[in-house]
């Protein structure tokens, strides 16, 4: 009787919240000119083997061999599919490309608060936008989503640059090639580890005490000291990005963008700007979303390059965040109007009234049995209707019906021919 571990059943009350959340996200993206796309749930295994992090492929990917002896994966993320699709029509697509998708994705991991094996994720990407303005726009779209939910004061959007991290690994730590990937994963997991476990992990990678001190000094750096002490393209790009971000938003109060030198993002395809959003209250310790720039991804499918920047925002962590901050409104059930049926001979009139109201865009329910007014009012209340139209014998003879507003507990007699105007008000 239970769904597969790590997946969910969406009963109507849950589906209303789900649809509302993604309708808000879509409206923000569309207001910035983004169009929606989609791709298949199944992809060749090699797509992720070459384009995603090794942890994802080795530990989290759902895959099987199909009847044609092909190795097939259930998509764990959308960015490789996006890159494949864009590469397939690279010449004919107008640039820059602004796309949004809301795919269902799967990862095999231990279900816990804020993380399941199956979830839906809004993916918002710009491809073909060179320079910092594309990064600024994608970050402002993300901020706009939290503003749409009325939660912008409850988030911190932490930003770093992978070029800066590469410089630090190469020029400060002098890390060996085989050390870099596990070190990046360890730093990416730092917030989830106890300090002694993190430090033990650094030692296991062969880092001596001086290099470990260098890591902590780097993590304690602000943007000004990073520019001074770690002069590289990544530091300069970050300084320019924050400068433009400050100019791009006209709002009172501080912006939620902060520099975080410990932010890594675990996926291998990020090349420059990376960012994650966090709940400032601490009630939801897991990142609410993450993204970054991936300038080389399209080149893996084509002999041409196309820059890209984007982020993914999952429904599980986002709903937890919105509920903890009481940002989800009371969402009405689907029917607005219940048209009652008191006598068999009034069935045709009941269906006619319901059909006409539906043609004007109203959501209308009719009963599946003939019953008294009191019983049908109770049924209307149960299904969540705001109004009930009662076909009283006396009123029908005069071309009228009785309309009861269940929310305000008032009623009035309305001409049948005037129902459209009545409900439009």
């Amino acid at each position: 009787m239970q769904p597969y571990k790590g997946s969910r059943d969406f009963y109507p009350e849950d589906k209303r919240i789900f649809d509302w959340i993604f309708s808000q996200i879509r409206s923000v993206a569309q207001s910035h000119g983004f169009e929606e796309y989609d791709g298949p749930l199944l992809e060749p295994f090699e797509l992720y083997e070459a384009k995603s992090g090794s942890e994802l492929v080795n530990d989290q990917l759902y895959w099987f061999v199909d009847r044609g002896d092909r190795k097939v994966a259930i998509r764990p993320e959308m960015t490789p599919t996006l890159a494949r699709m864009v590469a397939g029509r690279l010449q004919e697509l107008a640039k820059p490309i602004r796309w949004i998708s809301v795919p269902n994705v799967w990862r095999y991991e231990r279900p816990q608060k804020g993380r399941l094996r199956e979830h839906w994720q809004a993916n918002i990407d710009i491809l073909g936008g060179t320079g910092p303005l594309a990064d600024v726009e994608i970050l402002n779209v993300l901020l706009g989503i939290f503003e749409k939910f009325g939660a912008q004061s409850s988030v911190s959007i932490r930003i770093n640059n992978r070029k800066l991290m590469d410089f630090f690994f190469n020029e400060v730590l002098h890390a060996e090639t085989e050390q870099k990937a596990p070190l990046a994963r360890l730093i990416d997991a730092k917030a989830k580890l106890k300090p002694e476990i993190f430090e033990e992990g650094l030692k296991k990678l062969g880092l001596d005490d001086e290099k470990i001190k260098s890591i902590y000094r780097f993590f304690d750096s602000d943007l000004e000291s990073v520019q001074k002490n770690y002069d590289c393209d990544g530091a300069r790009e970050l300084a320019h990005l924050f400068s433009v971000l400050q100019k791009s938003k006209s709002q009172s109060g501080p912006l939620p963008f902060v520099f975080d030198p410990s932010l890594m993002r675990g996926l291998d395809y990020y090349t420059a700007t990376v960012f994650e959003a966090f709940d400032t209250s601490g009630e939801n310790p897991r990142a609410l979303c993450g993204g970054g720039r991936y300038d080389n991804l399209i080149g893996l499918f084509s002999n041409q390059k196309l820059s890209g920047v984007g982020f993914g925002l999952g429904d599980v962590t986002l709903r937890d965040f919105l509920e903890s901050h009481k940002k989800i409104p009371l969402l009405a059930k689907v029917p607005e109007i219940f048209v009652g049926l008191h006598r068999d001979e009034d069935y045709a009139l009941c269906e006619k009234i319901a059909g006409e109201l539906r043609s004007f865009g109203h959501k209308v329910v009719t009963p599946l049995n003939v019953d008294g007014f009191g019983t049908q009012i109770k049924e209307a209340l149960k299904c969540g209707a705001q109004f009930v139209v009662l076909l009283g014998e006396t009123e029908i003879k005069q071309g009228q019906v009785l309309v009861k507003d269940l929310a305000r507990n008032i009623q009035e007699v309305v001409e049948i021919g005037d129902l459209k105007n009545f409900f439009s008000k």
Side-chain angles (χ1 to χ4, degrees), residues 47 50-52 79-80 82-84 86-87 90 126-130 162-163 166 267-273 292-310:
L47 183 71
K51 284 76 185 175
S52 300
T79 305
L82 167 68
R84 176 184 60 74
V86 170
L90 193 55
I126 300 174
L127 295 104
T130 57
R162 289 289 282 266
K163 292 179 184 177
D166 289 342
L267 297 175
D268 292 346
Y269 49 65
Y270 290 121
T271 56
T273 301
R293 176 163 285 279
Y294 46 93
D295 284 339
N296 299 329
L297 194 61
I298 301 297
L300 295 171
F301 299 91
S302 168
N303 57 8
Q304 299 185 51
K305 285 190 176 182
L306 188 69
S307 61
V309 60

Side-chain angles (χ1 to χ4, degrees), residues 370-383:
V370 177
D371 220 322
F373 288 163
T375 300
Q376 297 202 336
I377 288 173
K378 289 179 182 177
E379 187 177 343
L381 286 166
K382 284 181 181 178
C383 75

Side-chain angles (χ1 to χ4, degrees), residues 131-132 135 159-165 167 218 222-244 259 272-273:
D135 294 14
I159 303 172
N160 198 6
N161 192 296
R162 289 289 282 266
K163 292 179 184 177
L164 172 62
M165 299 306 293
F167 177 86
F218 179 69
D222 59 20
L223 189 53
E224 185 177 350
S225 62
V226 160
Q227 289 178 267
K228 179 181 177 181
N229 298 321
Y230 307 95
D231 184 29
C232 64
D233 288 344
R236 286 186 286 273
E237 288 178 8
L238 279 166
H240 187 45
L241 175 64
F242 275 91
S243 172
V244 179
F259 168 58
T273 301

Side-chain angles (χ1 to χ4, degrees), residues 203-398:
K203 290 178 179 178
K204 284 182 178 179
L205 290 174
L207 299 180
D208 59 29
D209 290 344
E210 191 57 42
K211 289 183 178 180
I212 291 174
K213 289 178 183 177
S214 296
I215 289 175
Y216 286 121
R217 281 197 298 270
F218 179 69
F219 288 167
D220 288 338
S221 302
D222 59 20
L223 189 53
E224 185 177 350
S225 62
V226 160
Q227 289 178 267
K228 179 181 177 181
N229 298 321
Y230 307 95
D231 184 29
C232 64
D233 288 344
R236 286 186 286 273
E237 288 178 8
L238 279 166
H240 187 45
L241 175 64
F242 275 91
S243 172
V244 179
L245 280 170
Q246 289 293 334
K247 298 172 185 175
S248 70
K249 272 289 185 182
S250 55
Q251 67 170 40
S252 58
L255 290 169
F257 303 115
V258 295
F259 168 58
D260 182 355
S262 67
L263 182 66
M264 275 297 304
R265 297 291 295 154
L267 297 175
D268 292 346
Y269 49 65
Y270 290 121
T271 56
T273 301
V274 288
F275 55 88
E276 291 180 344
F278 288 85
D279 183 351
T280 56
S281 74
E283 288 191 43
N284 302 284
R286 194 174 294 280
L288 302 173
C289 73
R293 176 163 285 279
Y294 46 93
D295 284 339
N296 299 329
L297 194 61
I298 301 297
L300 295 171
F301 299 91
S302 168
N303 57 8
Q304 299 185 51
K305 285 190 176 182
L306 188 69
S307 61
V309 60
F311 65 87
L313 184 58
D315 71 306
V316 180
T317 50
L318 181 56
R319 177 169 174 173
D320 287 345
F321 167 76
L322 294 173
E323 286 180 335
S324 66
H325 290 279
K326 297 180 173 55
K327 296 299 183 181
I328 298 178
L330 183 63
L331 301 171
K333 293 184 179 181
V334 168
E336 301 167 335
I337 304 165
F338 183 99
V339 182
L341 180 59
H342 184 52
R343 304 182 304 167
D344 286 322
E345 53 264 41
D346 296 329
Y347 175 75
L349 178 60
C350 169
E351 288 300 315
K352 180 182 178 184
I353 290 172
E356 288 179 350
L357 291 174
R358 288 174 186 136
S359 72
F360 297 127
H362 296 292
K363 302 175 182 71
V364 185
V365 168
T366 57
L368 302 180
N369 60 318
V370 177
D371 220 322
F373 288 163
T375 300
Q376 297 202 336
I377 288 173
K378 289 179 182 177
E379 187 177 343
L381 286 166
K382 284 181 181 178
C383 75
Q386 183 181 350
F387 298 95
V388 60
V389 177
L390 299 170
L391 307 184
E393 186 176 352
T394 302
E395 286 80 14
I396 289 174
K397 288 178 180 178
Q398 300 176 30

